[in-house]
Amino acid sequence: MPSLPDVMTPEIEKLAAAQAGQGASAPQDQTRDALFEWLLRTGDNALILGHRVSEWCGHAPALEEDIALANQALDLIGQCQLWLGLAGEVEGRGRSADNLAYLRDAGAFRNLLLVERPNGDFGHTLMRQFLFDAFHIELLDAAAASPDARIAEIAAKAKKEVAYHLERSADLVIRLGDGTAESHDRMQKALDALWSYTGEMFHDDAHDRALAEAGVIALPSSLRAAWDRTVGQVMAEATLRLPGDVWQHGLTGAGGGKRGVHSEHLGYILAEMQFLQRAYPGATW
Amino acid sequence: MYAQLVKSEGVKSRDEMSPEEIAFQERIDRGEKIEPKEWMPEGYRKTLIRQIGQHAHSEIVGQLPEGNWITRAPTLERKAILLAKVQDEAGHGLYLYSAAETLGVSRDELLERLHSGKMKYSSIFNYPTLTWADIGAVGWLVDGAAIMNQVPLQRTSYGPYSRAMIRICKEESFHQRQGYDIMMKMCAGTPEQKAMAQDALNRFWYPALMMFGPSDKDSVHSAQSMAWKIKMNTNDELRQKFVDQTVPQAEYLGLTIPDENLKWNEEKGGYDFSEPDWSEFFAVIAGNGPCNAERLGARVKAWEDGAWFREGLMAHAEKARSRRIAAE
Ligand SMILES: [Fe+2]
Ligand SMILES: [Fe+2]
Ligand SMILES: [Fe+2]
């Protein structure tokens, strides 16, 4: 068998660049491309976390939790509709929120690795929610101050919902951390397992820097101090130990959900989520 | 219905009643509401606990067949609508467990009876949701049948139950309209979508008719419940009303009800239709429906897997309480 020439590489790079909406662009397009990326990231976080949370529907440990989780998933899906709707507008190629949610493949999704982590036990789900909520609230708080009115308006609406998500997830993390030996142990394990997916939230890349320079969106790294404070306080009250300096996924090489390099889990989420749109192309529902 | 086979005693004649029972019956006959702290016959209390409990269980088990399609809903809007619906059903469960609690039985006790198989939930939720059209059919037919039963129950004699029904009915009629809307989209869609809609109707028609419970001639428990206004109509009356209401809706969709004997009967002013296969109904109630094991299994698993969570919260509450006392 002859060795395989590497002819595909430039082709793939071109495709990837086109998918990411960053084909050779004029400088004035840079902010628009970066904004499109940011909107995908923000919308995809809501969509994928909403999907994960909705997997609990009917299976939660108490009826009140079933109701609260369905409500949270509902908020997140609503936010995703707004963010992805705006992403489609900014992109200007006629794609709707549904097109973006249902017809992109995994490599074009821009959500954080954290939100696609499997649910695990209920403690794991709550810990993932808390770590994300504490970041999400800072992100929305900053975005609500954006000079771009469309962004500020969505962020202001989402902020109210997420403030409630955070209040709930923080409260439950505290109660379970400082509950029984078993609940403490489960919450500590969840924190240890998820900690290495938190660094990606605060990682700045070229798109983030372009938006920050244009004054549209604050740098992710600027949200870190507030997040550290919230997480530190809640974990202290929960009697849980912060894992400290551990390996962080998604920051090196090609990796990271923000750049479209996901875990294996996302493919299965999309296979499920997109099934009808893929099996019956063009049908209306 | 959601309470299809509620056991109660045979109806008591006036001669057999104690003075208290006579006074109680007279209050009901005058249309007064019975409130939790007031005297009531033990049979009334027990029958209500069974009926409200079955209804509550049906709401929470009912989350499962529809929850089955949340992650696969075809658009973001449909996903949001379905999430909101399933959330409503959990809320209905909550109101109903609270109503049952006013009769002196805790939610945990009722759940234990569900999990051990001593209490039932509606047979309808033991059927699978195989396609997206099933989500339409469930809203249209299952919520539709539920409304048929629950609208009269808004006038039931027990105050907390009546008030729960009033809140619930509003939301159920939303659900039915949303389900019908899915069916309309499917029927106006591609040939595959239309076929999916017909297939869903074919599979859900008879199970929906079974929701009203066995024919009155076989239902020995109705008379006392009707005297107490716990049950407002007979099973056959409600089933007839449901068929009469649903046939034109199916026609509007261009779907065929899977019943060769279905025809308008001018004389009675309603449709003649085929009875469901009652042997299937009793098999499903006995635990042999297509999804009984999954549905009950899922509820039991949720409960057992959640034990540490509930215990953790209780332990924390206890710690917080003793810390407060120590600080005082
Ligand atoms: Fe219902
Ligand atoms: Fe309901
Ligand atoms: Fe409903």
Side-chain angles (χ1 to χ4, degrees):
Chain A
M1 184 173 164
S3 67
L4 297 169
D6 202 15
V7 291
M8 287 303 285
T9 307
E11 191 58 23
I12 284 174
E13 271 169 8
K14 241 179 23 214
L15 274 172
Q19 249 188 356
Q22 58 186 188
S25 55
Q28 65 265 34
D29 290 342
Q30 253 174 24
T31 313
R32 198 197 59 191
D33 294 343
L35 183 56
F36 177 61
E37 279 290 312
W38 185 87
L39 290 165
L40 287 184
R41 289 169 181 182
T42 310
D44 289 346
N45 281 338
L47 176 59
I48 301 303
L49 186 59
H51 181 102
R52 279 298 192 214
V53 171
S54 78
E55 291 174 350
W56 276 102
C57 232
H59 304 276
L63 202 41
E64 288 80 355
E65 294 305 309
D66 267 323
I67 294 172
L69 289 180
N71 191 51
Q72 234 167 57
L74 198 52
D75 288 345
L76 290 167
I77 298 305
Q79 291 170 19
C80 136
Q81 284 178 289
L82 297 172
W83 291 127
L84 293 184
L86 182 54
E89 248 175 66
V90 165
E91 186 195 32
R93 284 168 47 199
R95 290 202 280 181
S96 65
D98 274 349
N99 285 160
L100 288 167
Y102 286 94
L103 301 176
R104 277 178 300 156
D105 202 349
F109 271 75
R110 293 289 182 264
N111 60 279
L112 298 163
L113 296 174
L114 177 69
V115 298
E116 69 195 48
R117 299 305 301 156
N119 285 339
D121 68 11
F122 201 68
H124 207 88
T125 292
L126 282 172
M127 187 59 79
R128 183 188 60 200
Q129 189 70 40
F130 169 69
L131 295 171
F132 181 75
D133 289 344
F135 158 75
H136 203 190
I137 194 76
E138 302 303 335
L139 174 109
L140 293 171
D141 198 48
S146 171
D148 185 326
R150 300 167 303 176
I151 294 175
E153 195 184 317
I154 299 172
K157 177 186 183 290
K159 216 176 94 173
K160 286 187 206 130
E161 296 166 348
V162 169
Y164 180 63
H165 299 178
L166 175 62
E167 192 185 309
R168 226 186 80 78
S169 63
D171 177 58
L172 284 170
V173 165
I174 290 168
R175 287 154 73 190
L176 293 167
D178 186 22
T180 60
E182 182 181 4
S183 71
H184 175 89
D185 187 46
R186 283 177 185 262
M187 297 314 283
Q188 185 66 56
K189 283 199 175 110
L191 179 59
D192 293 344
L194 293 168
W195 193 251
S196 54
Y197 295 94
T198 55
E200 196 192 2
M201 300 191 285
F202 308 103
H203 177 67
D204 304 331
D205 69 3
H207 293 304
D208 296 316
R209 281 188 289 271
L211 286 179
E213 266 162 44
V216 182
I217 293 289
L219 277 177
S221 57
S222 71
L223 310 174
R224 173 116 218 179
W227 183 84
D228 277 338
R229 249 190 330 273
T230 308
V231 172
Q233 273 165 14
V234 167
M235 293 311 158
E237 224 188 306
T239 70
L240 296 173
R241 175 184 35 75
L242 290 173
D245 242 351
V246 298
W247 173 258
Q248 293 294 323
H249 292 287
L251 307 186
T252 57
K258 283 175 78 167
R259 284 177 283 172
V261 184
H262 292 275
S263 64
E264 291 177 349
H265 302 293
L266 186 64
Y268 290 95
I269 292 176
L270 298 184
E272 199 171 325
M273 185 170 88
Q274 298 179 340
F275 152 68
L276 281 169
Q277 290 285 354
R278 301 294 193 179
Y280 302 95
T284 44
W285 304 90
Chain B
M1 182 39 49
Y2 278 13
Q4 291 162 312
L5 274 180
V6 178
K7 285 191 192 123
S8 74
E9 290 97 83
V11 65
K12 267 193 185 175
S13 71
R14 213 177 156 88
D15 304 342
E16 299 168 307
M17 288 186 197
S18 68
E20 274 166 319
E21 285 172 325
I22 291 172
F24 180 80
Q25 188 61 53
E26 282 169 351
R27 289 189 62 197
I28 288 182
D29 295 342
R30 284 196 298 272
E32 286 178 30
K33 291 274 178 271
I34 309 301
E35 294 302 332
K37 296 258 159 60
E38 296 169 345
W39 185 87
M40 61 186 78
E42 218 23 54
Y44 178 85
R45 179 190 304 276
K46 280 196 178 137
T47 309
L48 266 176
I49 289 175
R50 288 195 201 103
Q51 180 167 331
I52 299 175
Q54 256 189 51
H55 191 161
H57 297 331
S58 298
E59 299 285 357
I60 61 162
V61 176
Q63 292 181 92
L64 298 170
E66 294 187 279
N68 184 39
W69 278 89
I70 289 174
T71 57
R72 290 178 289 171
T75 67
L76 295 171
E77 195 192 352
R78 290 288 180 204
K79 193 190 287 286
I81 290 171
L82 185 56
L83 268 166
K85 182 186 179 197
V86 175
Q87 185 191 12
D88 284 348
E89 304 302 4
H92 298 170
L94 207 57
Y95 308 153
L96 287 161
Y97 285 123
S98 305
E101 282 183 330
T102 64
L103 293 159
V105 60
S106 71
R107 194 205 307 181
D108 285 5
E109 268 173 274
L110 288 172
L111 288 174
E112 195 282 316
R113 288 183 213 170
L114 168 69
H115 297 156
S116 65
K118 273 189 223 120
M119 280 183 90
K120 305 290 181 197
Y121 53 89
S122 177
S123 59
I124 192 73
F125 300 119
N126 291 311
Y127 289 86
T129 51
L130 301 176
T131 72
W132 176 251
D134 289 11
I135 299 307
V138 167
W140 172 35
L141 301 173
V142 176
D143 288 274
I147 293 166
M148 201 55 82
N149 185 56
Q150 290 169 18
V151 163
L153 281 175
Q154 295 177 104
R155 291 181 286 110
T156 188
S157 61
Y158 188 55
Y161 191 27
S162 156
R163 290 188 287 273
M165 281 300 127
I166 291 167
R167 290 178 76 175
I168 289 174
C169 278
K170 270 192 217 139
E171 292 176 350
E172 299 295 10
S173 57
F174 253 130
H175 299 169
Q176 193 194 17
R177 265 180 272 158
Q178 289 158 350
Y180 195 70
D181 188 59
I182 291 178
M183 296 306 275
M184 289 209 292
K185 273 276 177 0
M186 302 288 284
C187 290
T190 65
E192 286 112 318
Q193 285 176 299
K194 177 113 194 227
M196 248 186 250
Q198 181 63 55
D199 171 62
L201 175 58
N202 293 348
R203 281 181 291 106
F204 276 97
W205 176 251
Y206 288 105
L209 295 187
M210 291 176 197
M211 287 176 68
F212 299 93
S215 180
D216 299 322
K217 54 186 190 295
D218 307 319
S219 187
V220 289
H221 306 299
S222 289
Q224 181 62 71
S225 287
M226 289 186 74
W228 278 334
K229 294 191 186 160
I230 290 174
K231 193 174 163 74
M232 308 298 286
N233 303 85
T234 70
N235 296 347
D236 287 331
E237 273 166 26
L238 291 171
R239 191 169 12 250
Q240 181 70 53
K241 253 181 108 174
F242 176 74
V243 171
D244 293 344
Q245 175 191 282
T246 308
V247 170
Q249 294 168 348
E251 279 167 1
Y252 182 80
L253 292 170
L255 296 178
T256 309
I257 304 265
D259 180 0
E260 285 179 359
N261 299 318
L262 185 84
K263 66 168 191 300
W264 179 254
N265 180 331
E266 193 60 55
E267 206 175 310
K268 77 173 180 187
Y271 285 91
D272 290 331
F273 58 94
S274 300
E275 289 273 309
D277 176 355
W278 291 111
S279 67
E280 177 179 313
F281 170 76
F282 287 108
V284 173
I285 289 286
N288 297 313
C291 299
N292 293 61
E294 282 98 329
R295 300 290 186 247
L296 191 57
R299 291 308 311 170
V300 170
K301 184 174 189 308
W303 186 251
E304 287 174 353
D305 288 355
W308 72 268
F309 170 86
R310 297 187 302 274
E311 284 157 15
L313 295 189
M314 282 193 300
H316 180 82
E318 190 50 44
K319 280 185 195 177
R321 204 178 62 90
S322 32
R323 277 196 289 256
R324 255 198 321 276
I325 292 169
E328 273 163 19

